[in-house]
């Protein structure tokens, strides 16, 4: 007897349809899975066998062949356990095969018959909906990341027995009740806020500009000056993610297996890998070409603390994603392209001891040691960082005298107003540009109209600071964002002047 069940597989962050064909024939008892399965799929034979017996079903005797079609695409992971088990029950007469039609089934089985959560359930359910599937059965533990998906019935099963009874018509599983995305946004809360950062008005202003235009930032200052706290506050002033952005971000985390307990991501991600992180962990890779930290930070913030301590090859791998907004991972057995459009926030000490320029501690480093330390960051990477911010150390007596600080909500309102100006400006852009940091050479001049005085100041600054052509465009983009925050149609001299201040570290430290 033959039973056919619809399931899904993963290719990067996209799903594809897999049909599990289960055939039971007379002959010597055997259990074979074909269709280019990996080791975890082949091991499902023992999981399915134990789960059926421990759920009170008899395991069929005979020649069992499971084909996962299409046979030329590699099948990975344990998500095919539940469809294979249900297919065997259909072949054994315990389930009507017609009841399985029109339903996509996903789930890993434990030996006791319970259904365990799987990675990548969100992109697979989205693909199933786009393919016209009427309903999808997933592990109950995966329901939270699917609670905003409409247009398809989502059934949560916590055991093989419950799933079987549903298809037998004995105990119907109610579809998941969806929630509006706006409700999830109202329920979220932030653990940090800019009102907790005392002083540092110039650094806060620079981060507001970075958030408004999506610019990359490098903070240089002594230890304890608040660089890490301000970086962690950065997501709190970024605009709320749209629903499509939240889905795309959660798809990446679903594939990587890092979806938070709350399910669908409503807060912009903040990723902070340690400086000992490898190339594969940052960019992505492994045998299955899984996403790395730069993809997990998509639509959010990637924070690299102690920037010079990272390996040189790891830092240089950031160049292409910073320019293109995506990363392609190629391996012998897999190739995947992941989005990587993030705001890069870096921090570093100005010298090995960290006290250069400090008002409270003397610097013990020689000029040679300082230059060697700072030269760990290459010029091409530094060029791709739009803004360089000096963060000063604040004495304790000044901290105690500081008054009430501006909260993140107030800053975010100004950022959202500037983003709205950019959204209208780039509404018809064929390249899909949404923010100033994404401007390309083709449309830079049209979007960044300057006054004669501002243009002259920009050329003079580039000549005196010896800025590269890429740094020139970065200054112009930052000035465009400053003008947007000020509500100015044209870039004026004061906007260029402020933008150039965020490049003076080129001359001060590296010149």
């Amino acid at each position: 007897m033959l039973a056919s069940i619809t399931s899904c597989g993963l290719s990067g962050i996209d799903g594809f349809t897999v049909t599990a064909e289960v055939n039971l024939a007379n002959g010597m008892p055997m259990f074979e899975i074909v269709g280019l399965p990996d080791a975890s799929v082949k091991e499902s034979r023992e999981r399915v066998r134990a789960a059926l017996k421990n759920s009170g079903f008899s395991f069929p005797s005979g020649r069992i062949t499971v084909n996962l079609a299409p046979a030329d695409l590699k099948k990975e992971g344990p998500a095919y356990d539940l469809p294979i088990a249900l297919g065997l029950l259909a072949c054994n007469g315990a389930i009507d095969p017609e009841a399985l039609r029109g339903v996509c089934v996903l789930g890993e089985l434990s030996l006791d018959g319970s259904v365990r959560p799987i990675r990548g359930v969100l992109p697979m359910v989205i693909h199933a909906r786009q393919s016209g599937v009427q309903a999808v059965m997933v592990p109950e533990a995966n329901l939270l990341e699917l609670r905003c998906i409409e247009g398809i019935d989502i059934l949560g099963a916590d055991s093989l027995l419950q799933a079987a009874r549903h298809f037998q018509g004995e105990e119907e599983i109610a579809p998941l009740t969806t929630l509006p995305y706006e409700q999830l946004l109202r329920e979220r809360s932030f653990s940090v806020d800019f009102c907790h950062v005392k002083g540092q008005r110039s650094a806060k202003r620079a981060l507001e500009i970075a958030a408004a235009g999506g610019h990359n930032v490098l903070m240089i200052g002594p230890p304890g000056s608040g660089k890490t706290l301000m970086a962690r506050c950065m997501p709190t002033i970024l605009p709320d993610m749209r629903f499509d952005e939240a889905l795309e971000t959660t798809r990446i985390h679903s594939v990587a297996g890092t979806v938070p307990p709350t399910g669908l991501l409503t807060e912009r991600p903040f990723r902070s890998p340690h400086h000992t992180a490898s190339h594969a962990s940052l960019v992505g890779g492994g045998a299955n070409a899984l996403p790395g930290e730069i993809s997990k930070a998509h639509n959010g913030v990637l924070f690299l603390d102690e920037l010079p301590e990272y390996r040189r090859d790891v830092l240089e791998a950031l160049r292409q994603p910073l320019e293109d907004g995506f990363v392609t991972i190629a391996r012998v057995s897999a190739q995947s392209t992941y989005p990587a459009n993030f705001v890069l926030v870096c921090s570093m000490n100005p010298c090995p001891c960290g006290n250069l320029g400090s008002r409270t501690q003397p610097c013990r480093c020689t000029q040679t040691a300082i230059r060697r330390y700072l030269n760990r960051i290459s010029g091409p990477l530094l060029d791709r960082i739009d803004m360089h911010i000096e963060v000063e150390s604040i004495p304790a007596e000044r901290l105690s005298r500081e008054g009430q600080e501006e909260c993140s909500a107030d800053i975010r309102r100004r950022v959202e107003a500037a983003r709205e100006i950019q959204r209208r400006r780039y509404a018809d852009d064929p390249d899909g540009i949404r923010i100033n940091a994404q401007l390309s050479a083709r449309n830079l001049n049209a979007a960044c109209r300057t006054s004669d005085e501002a243009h002259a100041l920009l050329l003079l600054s580039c000549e005196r600071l010896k800025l590269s052509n890429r740094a020139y465009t970065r200054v112009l983009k930052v000035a465009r964002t400053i003008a947007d925050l000020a509500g100015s149609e044209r870039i004026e001299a004061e906007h260029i002047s402020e933008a150039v201040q965020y490049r003076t570290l080129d001359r001060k430290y590296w010149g």
Side-chain angles (χ1 to χ4, degrees), residues 219-238:
M219 294 184 285
I220 301 180
S225 55
K227 301 186 296 296
T228 301
L229 177 57
M230 286 190 288
R232 292 188 179 279
C233 291
M234 187 73 171
T236 67
I237 64 173
L238 290 171

Side-chain angles (χ1 to χ4, degrees), residues 163-239:
R165 286 178 175 173
H166 170 79
F167 289 111
Q168 290 169 342
E170 297 179 1
E171 184 181 328
E172 186 174 352
I173 300 175
L176 174 68
T177 302
T178 59
L179 294 177
Y181 177 65
E182 291 73 19
Q183 179 177 337
L184 298 185
L185 286 179
R186 291 193 297 268
E187 293 175 354
R188 69 175 183 180
S189 61
F190 296 105
S191 59
V192 292
D193 196 284
F194 265 110
C195 66
H196 303 147
V197 182
K198 299 296 183 181
Q200 305 295 1
R201 297 188 185 279
S202 60
K204 289 179 183 178
R205 164 66 177 173
L207 291 177
E208 178 182 338
I209 296 169
H215 303 291
N216 304 318
V217 179
L218 170 62
M219 294 184 285
I220 301 180
S225 55
K227 301 186 296 296
T228 301
L229 177 57
M230 286 190 288
R232 292 188 179 279
C233 291
M234 187 73 171
T236 67
I237 64 173
L238 290 171

Side-chain angles (χ1 to χ4, degrees), residues 367-434:
Q367 288 298 319
T368 302
I370 294 173
R371 187 167 297 278
R372 186 184 303 116
Y373 177 75
L374 297 176
N375 282 338
R376 294 181 186 178
I377 307 172
S378 69
L381 177 61
L382 189 65
D383 264 355
R384 287 170 169 82
I385 299 178
D386 304 15
M387 306 172 66
H388 313 150
I389 308 171
E390 287 186 282
V391 182
E392 62 175 356
S393 59
I394 301 178
E397 59 270 17
R398 266 190 61 191
L399 287 176
S400 60
R401 292 198 305 267
E402 292 288 344
Q404 181 65 35
E405 299 291 339
E406 191 175 28
C407 66
S408 293
D410 294 334
I411 301 174
R412 186 168 63 247
R413 277 191 284 270
R414 295 196 295 270
V415 169
E416 289 174 342
R419 288 282 184 109
E420 178 60 23
I421 293 174
Q422 297 168 58
R423 187 192 65 79
R424 293 197 300 267
R425 180 188 301 128
Y426 308 127
D428 300 324
D429 188 88
D431 297 333
I433 291 175
R434 293 176 178 172

Side-chain angles (χ1 to χ4, degrees), residues 1-5 86-101 164-169:
M1 185 174 181
L2 176 66
S4 180
I5 303 178
L86 292 175
L88 286 174
L89 291 176
C91 289
N92 218 15
I95 295 177
D96 183 1
E98 289 299 319
L100 299 173
R101 294 190 183 277
R165 286 178 175 173
H166 170 79
F167 289 111
Q168 290 169 342

Side-chain angles (χ1 to χ4, degrees), residues 213-215 245 298-299 322-325 341-342 386 419 422 426 429 431-444 474 477 481:
H215 303 291
E245 291 180 322
H298 180 60
N299 288 324
L322 286 175
E323 290 290 334
D324 299 336
N341 190 5
F342 54 87
D386 304 15
R419 288 282 184 109
Q422 297 168 58
Y426 308 127
D429 188 88
D431 297 333
I433 291 175
R434 293 176 178 172
I435 53 178
N436 293 329
Q438 297 173 345
L439 282 170
S440 62
R442 185 181 64 82
N443 48 26
L444 184 67
R474 302 283 170 168
K477 293 176 186 179
T481 301

Side-chain angles (χ1 to χ4, degrees), residues 109-434:
L109 289 176
S110 294
L111 299 184
D112 62 357
S114 59
V115 180
R116 298 171 57 85
I118 57 173
R119 291 189 299 108
V121 68
L122 179 59
M124 289 191 282
V125 170
I126 291 176
H127 171 77
R129 182 186 63 180
Q130 294 171 344
S131 301
V133 175
Q134 300 173 354
V136 59
M137 177 174 285
V138 300
E140 194 171 47
N142 286 122
L143 289 180
L144 282 180
E145 62 184 282
L146 304 173
R147 52 184 172 170
C148 292
I149 303 299
E150 298 178 344
I152 186 171
D153 289 339
I154 302 174
L155 313 174
D158 62 1
S159 68
L160 173 60
L161 183 60
Q162 183 188 24
R165 286 178 175 173
H166 170 79
F167 289 111
Q168 290 169 342
E170 297 179 1
E171 184 181 328
E172 186 174 352
I173 300 175
L176 174 68
T177 302
T178 59
L179 294 177
Y181 177 65
E182 291 73 19
Q183 179 177 337
L184 298 185
L185 286 179
R186 291 193 297 268
E187 293 175 354
R188 69 175 183 180
S189 61
F190 296 105
S191 59
V192 292
D193 196 284
F194 265 110
C195 66
H196 303 147
V197 182
K198 299 296 183 181
Q200 305 295 1
R201 297 188 185 279
S202 60
K204 289 179 183 178
R205 164 66 177 173
L207 291 177
E208 178 182 338
I209 296 169
H215 303 291
N216 304 318
V217 179
L218 170 62
M219 294 184 285
I220 301 180
S225 55
K227 301 186 296 296
T228 301
L229 177 57
M230 286 190 288
R232 292 188 179 279
C233 291
M234 187 73 171
T236 67
I237 64 173
L238 290 171
D240 293 334
M241 285 196 291
R242 304 185 308 274
F243 181 54
D244 61 314
E245 291 180 322
L247 278 184
E248 187 176 41
T249 305
T250 308
R251 284 169 64 189
I252 297 171
H253 286 261
S254 181
V255 170
T258 56
V259 175
T262 53
L264 187 72
L265 284 165
T266 55
E267 298 180 18
R268 292 189 179 270
F270 178 85
R271 306 297 299 185
S272 179
H274 193 259
H275 61 76
T276 59
S278 66
H279 181 283
S281 66
L282 190 70
V283 178
N288 299 328
L290 292 176
E293 291 294 325
I294 62 174
S295 296
K296 295 174 187 175
H298 180 60
N299 288 324
V301 176
L302 177 66
F303 177 49
L304 302 183
D305 197 9
E306 304 297 341
L307 187 65
E309 303 299 332
Y310 286 81
R311 283 172 23 197
R312 185 66 173 255
D313 65 310
V314 172
L315 291 181
E316 296 307 303
L318 290 172
R319 290 196 204 176
Q320 181 259 332
L322 286 175
E323 290 290 334
D324 299 336
F326 64 88
V327 59
T328 299
I329 305 166
R331 294 294 182 266
V332 173
S333 59
Q335 177 173 320
S336 300
T337 298
Y338 297 108
N341 190 5
F342 54 87
V343 175
L344 176 65
V345 179
C346 308
S347 71
M348 60 179 290
N349 297 328
C351 65
C353 78
N355 295 323
L356 180 65
S358 173
R359 299 182 181 182
T360 58
Q361 299 292 332
C363 178
R364 305 186 302 272
C365 306
T366 65
Q367 288 298 319
T368 302
I370 294 173
R371 187 167 297 278
R372 186 184 303 116
Y373 177 75
L374 297 176
N375 282 338
R376 294 181 186 178
I377 307 172
S378 69
L381 177 61
L382 189 65
D383 264 355
R384 287 170 169 82
I385 299 178
D386 304 15
M387 306 172 66
H388 313 150
I389 308 171
E390 287 186 282
V391 182
E392 62 175 356
S393 59
I394 301 178
E397 59 270 17
R398 266 190 61 191
L399 287 176
S400 60
R401 292 198 305 267
E402 292 288 344
Q404 181 65 35
E405 299 291 339
E406 191 175 28
C407 66
S408 293
D410 294 334
I411 301 174
R412 186 168 63 247
R413 277 191 284 270
R414 295 196 295 270
V415 169
E416 289 174 342
R419 288 282 184 109
E420 178 60 23
I421 293 174
Q422 297 168 58
R423 187 192 65 79
R424 293 197 300 267
R425 180 188 301 128
Y426 308 127
D428 300 324
D429 188 88
D431 297 333
I433 291 175
R434 293 176 178 172

